[in-house]
Amino acid sequence: MTMSNLKLGVDVVSAHNLLPKDGQGSSSAFVELCFDGQRFRTTIKEKDLHPVWDESFNFNISDPYNLHNLTLDAYIYNNVKATHSRSFLGKISLSGTSFVPYSDAVVLHYPLEKRGIFSRVRGELGLKVYITDDPSLKSSIPFPAAENTQVDTQSVQNPAPNTFHNVIHEARHTFHHLPNPNHSQQQRNTSAVAVPQQMVKYGVNEMKAEPQPPKLVRMYSASSAQPVDYALKETSPFLGGGQVVGGRVIHADKTACTYDLVERMHFLFVRVVKAHELPAMDVTGSLDPYVEVRIGNYKGVTKHLEKQQNPVWNVVFAFSRERMQASVLEVVVKDKDLVKDDFVGFVRFDLNEVPMRVPPDSPLAPQWYRLEDKKGEKIKGELMLAVWIGTQADEAFPDAWHSDAATPIDSSAAASSLIRSKVYHAPRLWYVRVNVVEAQDLVPTEKNHFPDAYVKAQIGNQVLKTKTVQARAFNPLWNEDLLFVAAEPFEDHLILTVEDRVAPGKDEILGRVIIPLSLVEKRADDRIIHSRWFNLEKPVAVDVDQLKKEKFSSKLHLRVCLDGGYHVLDESTHYSSDLRPTAKQLWKPSIGVLELGILNAVGLHPMKTRDGKGTSDTYCVAKYGHKWVRTRTIVDNLSPKYNEQYTWEVFDPATVLTVGVFDNSQLGDKGSIGNKDLKIGKVRIRISTLETGRIYTHSYPLLVLHATGVKKMGELHLAIRFSCTSFANMLCVYSRPLLPKMHYVRPFTVMQLDMLRHQAVNIVAMRLGRAEPPLRKEVVEYMSDVDSHLWSMRRSKANFFRLMSIFSGLFSVGKWFGDVCMWKNPITTVLVHVLYIILVCFPELILPTIFLYMFLIGIWNFRYRPRYPPHMNTKISQAEVAHPDELDEEFDTFPTSRSPDLVRLRYDRLRSVAGRIQTVVGDIATQGERFQSLLSWRDPRATAIFVTFSLIAALVLYVTPFLVIAALAGIYVMRHPRFRYRLPSVPINFFRRLPARTDSLL
């Protein structure tokens, strides 16, 4: 079969909720398809906003090797009989990279796109698009010649019984695979004449042209221009608690354990505890024993212990049941030798007799087993073992050596520290506030010289300086605040040095103070910290490594404290996962529990080459609050199955969970140790967008921006559930300030926040990098969006267009009012005039009408509320249209390396200033998007609160005289400062918690 026989099949199924265009509340729609210079058209469905065509068309593919550069365009028009013209109802465009074989094709309902900025469209179009080489399929006739040809109008106008209409109606909401009766009949006819179904090659994929069972696929995209390949996909997997469909568990498993958000995987666990009275193998009578656990091609090896006849290992091995190809388990004791390891003895188990353990059953107690030689006879020595079959809910799972995390060749249990799963707890961070007041009786290094003094403060790698005071005295006054970040337990001291600017580039030390942070006073509010005088010690250099100190009378006046009333920002403010203050006594009770099941990844791009083929050694990292988790590394697998579940306490719904996928670059040769772990992609999910109790099972596209453009690196399959422990507390949170009180009482500047956040990320990365296995710095920085404040032309354009989309609503209102003034629709204009006269005559109805209108709009939008978490959108991020030069600028180093010195300085200054502008524009857009989210049900609890408030406000304002309301409102706005609070009001707190489209930015 040659590539020249390939055809593109398009089944036009149905449309839903089209815009009425005939002036009578309806439309007469038809679809026009354009591909590779060919154009086809469906029949016209008279006066139907939910038309069903179910017509099939076949396009010739002139050059199959150029298919990825071609585009299928589908336009929906309204047929205007009176003028023999047509009006635009919407369009969709599908790239050739999204075409699949017929066996993988399903019916997808695509949201209609606009043709221009001022186009007005709505609704969806259901298409099934596929590649086929079936020789029985003939190319369709282009529509100019087919205008007079009837295309099975009988079957179109009478498509099926009512049940088929019900299926179609349901499909518009659930996107089930819809069978094509005509196409199925055609397949049956083909089978009747014994035409063989032959294999078709398309690129590197092989596909069959035979129909497959229906598939359940739900595609979502926040924008109609978002490519389908980048869209979110809802799945219905079988998890530990049963099958999940539409966020609810059906066919519940009565034996389900606490790990009900992941697919249950069975492992053979082998705990090697210790050995007793092993026989001596060497001439000297010594023994260097180790244990080798073997099943089929997989084996796990403990470390060897020198000269131990009673060794203790206490190591657990876990072998995946999916990969087992043997029925016998062998536990072999060997003696480490220079040339060839000696066989000591072994214990053999039949897997059919291994017991099953399901928590909360008690752990299986290890037993002593007598060793056997190769002939099966008992020998001297015993081995204490425990062998059982369990799941990932077993307590031994996190610390075990895993067969699915290592190749059959790489069997060392000692190397498992680099690939095992781990739960990390980030250190508690504090802001250190150092108020440098003044110095007294400074002694300059030169006589008759008044010092130009400044104070340099240092904690670890953080160094700050006060301004230089050029005072005609020996008692300089600074009164400056210096801010640092420190982590518990405190390892570095606060070192303050008073220095004299003797000459440009030359400073002399006048004295030094070292203050241990463990002795610094802590505070949780803005109470006054008592100042203290510290004696300055003057170091005299005697040796490079030694300093002798002598005391003298100079003193330094300081106020030093650990500020626990702030939340130390160590991540991007738009994606904060925790908003609690440092001081634990200020923490509020938790409002719920967040459960995350990391199921699997599919279609990952190879990140390295091993044995001549591309592969990846991937692991996932999830971050929420102080708790970081890392799954085990699945070695040499582009479709890894993790099936690990984790839980977090939730204290604030306006927080974000971040899940990233990385390639482990520390495995393999010794030279690879120290390489950076490569980022594959990440997913962000805002807690407030999740419905309580619903299980979200979606496959998220892993989108990463490279210097060459945006690239999909694969898909990550997650299961998420947010459970509320106290609904009343959760609703009360919406009225509280977003950040702790100290952020409003004594706020930081933008420059201070950026500097402190940078230091906080470095400290967290340094502490987590000490764990075993280490969470490397590049992973922490990628998860924390450390470079989000840097200049990017692409992000600036994205924020600008976000701002424009907010104002587009005002433009639409202005256009609508212009249409009213122009009497384009007389009925609407008359109604507006009547409403205007009523409101003029009865002004007290204005506010109740507005709130009642918002209440009704909110209730109306409830049926269209988002049913899926937000995901990254390449169109909103301006990633697909970014110019290569813009991407080169975005991925350029800071400072730049593209220009000479003078241009580089100006370029860096421009980037720094533009970065601030970009942030301000983004903040303005965020405020506007929060207004939009009031009634969009993006945050279901916030919208429910606002809709309820709107109803109550409408009723109260209806029965209360307008003059009273206006008077009270004016008095309240102009109230005396004594009656004002320093904290934001309840409406402002509620508004700041509303979600924005920052979650969709790449």
Side-chain angles (χ1 to χ4, degrees), residues 131-151:
I131 300 292
T132 180
D133 71 339
D134 189 348
S136 64
L137 296 180
K138 303 300 181 183
S139 299
S140 301
I141 304 175
F143 87 85
E147 285 184 352
N148 300 324
T149 303
Q150 299 297 325
V151 185

Side-chain angles (χ1 to χ4, degrees), residues 425-666:
H425 289 279
R428 190 156 63 129
L429 301 177
W430 293 79
Y431 284 138
V432 183
R433 187 185 295 271
V434 182
N435 179 235
V436 183
V437 184
E438 59 182 332
Q440 187 179 69
D441 300 331
L442 293 181
V443 179
T445 55
E446 300 179 6
K447 294 183 178 180
N448 301 324
H449 166 70
F450 291 104
D452 295 339
Y454 66 92
V455 177
K456 182 174 72 175
Q458 181 174 359
I459 299 179
N461 296 325
Q462 307 172 64
V463 179
L464 294 176
K465 298 179 181 179
T466 66
K467 64 179 180 293
T468 302
V469 175
Q470 299 176 344
R472 308 301 295 174
F474 298 102
N475 303 319
L477 176 66
W478 294 280
N479 196 25
E480 283 190 44
D481 272 353
L482 304 178
L483 291 168
F484 301 88
V485 179
E488 287 185 338
F490 302 115
E491 299 176 348
D492 300 312
H493 297 321
L494 170 63
I495 303 174
L496 296 114
T497 307
V498 182
E499 300 188 9
D500 177 20
R501 181 67 51 85
V502 178
K506 182 180 180 182
D507 300 328
E508 297 287 346
I509 297 177
L510 302 181
R512 176 179 293 147
V513 176
I514 300 177
I515 305 173
L517 290 179
S518 57
L519 302 180
V520 173
E521 184 178 358
K522 298 177 181 179
R523 70 173 183 177
D525 51 20
D526 61 337
R527 61 184 174 85
I528 300 299
I529 295 295
H530 297 291
S531 60
R532 287 182 56 191
W533 287 93
F534 294 85
N535 292 327
L536 287 173
E537 299 176 347
K538 185 174 181 180
V540 179
V542 177
D543 191 12
V544 177
D545 299 325
Q546 275 188 322
L547 288 177
K548 290 186 178 179
K549 301 178 182 179
E550 60 178 27
K551 297 183 179 180
F552 68 108
S553 58
S554 298
K555 295 180 182 295
L556 186 61
H557 193 193
L558 301 173
R559 290 188 182 92
V560 185
C561 70
L562 294 170
D563 265 331
Y566 293 93
H567 167 67
V568 180
L569 295 168
D570 61 337
E571 51 197 342
S572 175
T573 54
H574 294 301
Y575 313 120
S576 294
S577 61
D578 189 15
L579 300 170
R580 292 173 296 169
T582 301
K584 290 186 177 180
Q585 59 266 34
L586 299 179
W587 290 4
K588 302 293 183 182
S590 65
I591 62 170
V593 174
L594 176 66
E595 297 168 276
L596 170 68
I598 304 175
L599 301 178
N600 55 58
V602 295
L604 297 181
H605 277 231
M607 306 299 290
K608 62 183 67 167
T609 302
R610 182 180 293 139
D611 297 332
K613 67 175 183 177
T615 186
S616 291
D617 307 324
T618 60
Y619 63 92
C620 297
V621 175
K623 177 195 186 308
Y624 186 76
H626 291 169
K627 182 178 175 181
W628 296 62
V629 299
R630 168 181 176 153
T631 67
R632 66 193 187 280
T633 299
I634 306 298
V635 177
D636 198 15
N637 197 332
L638 296 179
S639 298
K641 292 185 178 181
Y642 304 101
N643 282 310
E644 298 185 24
Q645 183 171 339
Y646 299 95
T647 304
W648 289 267
E649 280 190 305
V650 177
F651 294 88
D652 197 311
T655 48
V656 175
L657 167 72
T658 304
V659 185
V661 185
F662 302 89
D663 177 75
N664 196 331
S665 300
Q666 314 307 311

Side-chain angles (χ1 to χ4, degrees), residues 355-366:
M356 174 78 72
R357 177 185 176 251
V358 179
D361 294 349
S362 299
L364 195 67

